[in-house]
Amino acid sequence: KEKADGSETEGEEIGRENAVLNISVNTLGLITTKMGGDRQSVVQSTRTARSDKIKYYIGLLACILFFGGFAVKSYWDEYVLNRDAHRLLTYYKFVTPDKLGADNLRNARYTVYRYRADLDRLWRRLHLRYGVKVPERDWDNEESYVKTEEDEELVNLDTDEKDSLDDEAPPESGDEEGEL
């Protein structure tokens, strides 16, 4: 753009055309020229620049969401692992305060990691072993945990019916001498 006095001003760039002039000399000494470039009009150049900018920002946003999702998942998994390990340690300190392993964070983290796919199974096993339910959140509230009564029957939910049938003794056969 030019001002009234003839000097140029900086303005918004509408379009740019790239052109390359190739000048070469062949073996006979003749000079040849070749013009190359994208040869776009100003309108086409503007559209291309706009679509390239949109593609760039969409790609940047996709990368941020993709890798950011991994970061958020990693943070959440670590948070859940620590929360459940502290829950397990607090349970052990409540149920077995005199044992030495009741404050071993590394073992608690490993146990929770081992049962990460089925934490309910871990809580059920602890309930069956010690007779005290594992509270969901609040250890200070006495109503959040319940000791089971002695006459209450506990059912092991971790074994299959097939396993429990295999443990039973097979019926006796009638080959005893006194029965004939």
Side-chain angles (χ1 to χ4, degrees):
K1 293 182 178 183
E2 289 187 18
K3 289 184 178 179
D5 62 353
S7 62
E8 293 185 13
T9 63
E10 293 289 325
E12 182 181 347
E13 187 174 306
I14 295 174
R16 179 185 302 169
E17 182 176 345
N18 294 328
V20 178
L21 176 63
N22 291 328
I23 302 174
S24 61
V25 178
N26 63 13
T27 57
L28 299 175
L30 295 172
I31 299 174
T32 58
T33 61
K34 183 177 180 183
M35 181 71 102
D38 50 359
R39 302 218 184 246
Q40 293 181 348
S41 69
V42 173
V43 175
Q44 288 174 332
S45 178
T46 305
R47 286 182 187 161
T48 303
R50 186 179 308 135
S51 68
D52 288 345
K53 187 181 283 189
I54 290 171
K55 287 178 188 176
Y56 171 77
Y57 285 117
I58 288 175
L60 185 64
L61 180 66
C63 287
I64 290 171
L65 291 176
F66 182 74
F67 293 112
F70 284 121
V72 168
K73 183 180 182 330
S74 174
Y75 171 78
W76 180 253
D77 288 345
E78 187 70 20
Y79 171 77
V80 168
L81 181 69
N82 286 332
R83 179 194 66 193
D84 290 335
H86 287 292
R87 181 178 173 192
L88 182 63
L89 280 178
T90 308
Y91 179 77
Y92 278 142
K93 285 179 185 177
F94 175 76
V95 173
T96 58
D98 53 341
K99 289 202 175 188
L100 293 175
D103 59 350
N104 191 346
L105 182 62
R106 183 178 293 171
N107 274 346
R109 284 177 58 93
Y110 176 71
T111 302
V112 169
Y113 179 77
R114 235 178 46 211
Y115 284 94
R116 70 187 176 277
D118 194 10
L119 279 174
D120 290 334
R121 183 176 174 202
L122 172 65
W123 307 137
R124 284 192 315 259
R125 282 186 171 192
L126 289 171
H127 175 65
L128 286 173
R129 182 171 185 177
Y130 296 110
V132 178
K133 285 189 178 182
V134 181
E136 291 295 321
R137 290 185 183 88
D138 190 14
W139 278 93
D140 298 329
N141 185 3
E142 292 180 15
E143 297 168 353
S144 65
Y145 59 89
V146 177
K147 289 191 178 190
T148 57
E149 300 295 327
E150 293 299 325
D151 59 346
E152 186 177 334
E153 182 180 335
L154 296 176
V155 178
N156 190 352
L157 300 174
D158 294 328
T159 60
D160 294 334
E161 290 180 23
K162 182 179 178 182
D163 293 340
S164 64
L165 293 177
D166 291 342
D167 294 340
E168 295 176 4
E172 296 287 330
S173 62
D175 293 337
E176 305 222 0
E177 295 175 8
E179 292 183 350
L180 290 176

